[in-house]
Amino acid sequence: MPELPGPAKAPARIPDDINILLADGVIPHKDGKISAIGLFQVILVSQFPASHRSLALIVEMSCGMGPQKWTLDVVSPEGKKIHSFSGEVLLRKYADKLNIMAQISDLPLESEGEWHVEFGVEGQVLKTRKFFVQRVPPPPAP
């Protein structure tokens, strides 16, 4: 018996409304809201190598449709990927909004300068958020 055609599937559409937040922590709530704790753009260190105790990455995306393979990378000033996440989500309606949250403990910081968080879908980087790592002199001894 021939298979009857099902409903037409809408073509996948890459999200085009994307925001990236950097914070010390994130708290997801049961109602879908999130609380970001300690938003920042600059990390101050007294020496290298250093590490950042806790980095929460929050990606808000919408205006896409269909299955989406995503990547989230932390990139050093030298262009080296320091940490990577990936996954797949399904946006069922064009108006769907989705939050992707990732937490990194003890992010290694080897150099000063402009760092990047890159969010990509289907192999294409769609949004970049920069943050800075700066060396400051240690406080004077008492």
Side-chain angles (χ1 to χ4, degrees):
M1 179 185 260
E3 192 173 319
L4 297 174
K9 290 185 178 181
R13 178 184 164 116
I14 300 289
D16 60 11
D17 185 10
I18 301 167
N19 293 304
I20 301 173
L21 298 174
L22 307 176
D24 292 324
V26 63
I27 302 169
H29 300 280
K30 291 179 184 177
D31 62 1
K33 294 180 182 178
I34 58 170
S35 295
I37 311 299
L39 295 171
F40 67 87
Q41 294 180 24
V42 178
I43 298 173
L44 302 175
V45 300
S46 60
Q47 64 183 15
F48 290 100
S51 66
H52 189 64
R53 183 180 305 173
S54 178
L55 173 61
L57 306 170
I58 303 120
V59 178
E60 306 167 312
M61 71 174 174
S62 63
C63 300
M65 194 164 179
Q68 310 284 334
K69 290 182 181 175
W70 59 267
T71 57
L72 186 60
D73 301 312
V74 178
V75 182
S76 74
E78 296 79 27
K80 179 181 173 187
K81 288 184 183 178
I82 303 300
H83 212 292
S84 295
F85 297 93
S86 63
E88 187 169 345
V89 296
L90 177 62
L91 296 172
R92 297 183 189 279
K93 298 180 300 206
Y94 180 72
D96 275 355
K97 294 184 185 282
L98 181 72
N99 293 324
I100 296 172
M101 295 172 280
Q103 187 84 33
I104 302 171
S105 296
D106 298 319
L107 175 69
L109 302 170
E110 299 290 329
S111 61
E112 188 171 23
E114 183 178 299
W115 289 62
H116 295 99
V117 175
E118 297 177 345
F119 179 73
V121 172
E122 302 299 333
Q124 177 184 357
V125 175
L126 299 179
K127 187 76 169 188
T128 299
R129 172 71 190 263
K130 56 184 158 184
F131 68 98
F132 299 89
V133 176
Q134 295 177 349
R135 184 167 186 231
V136 295

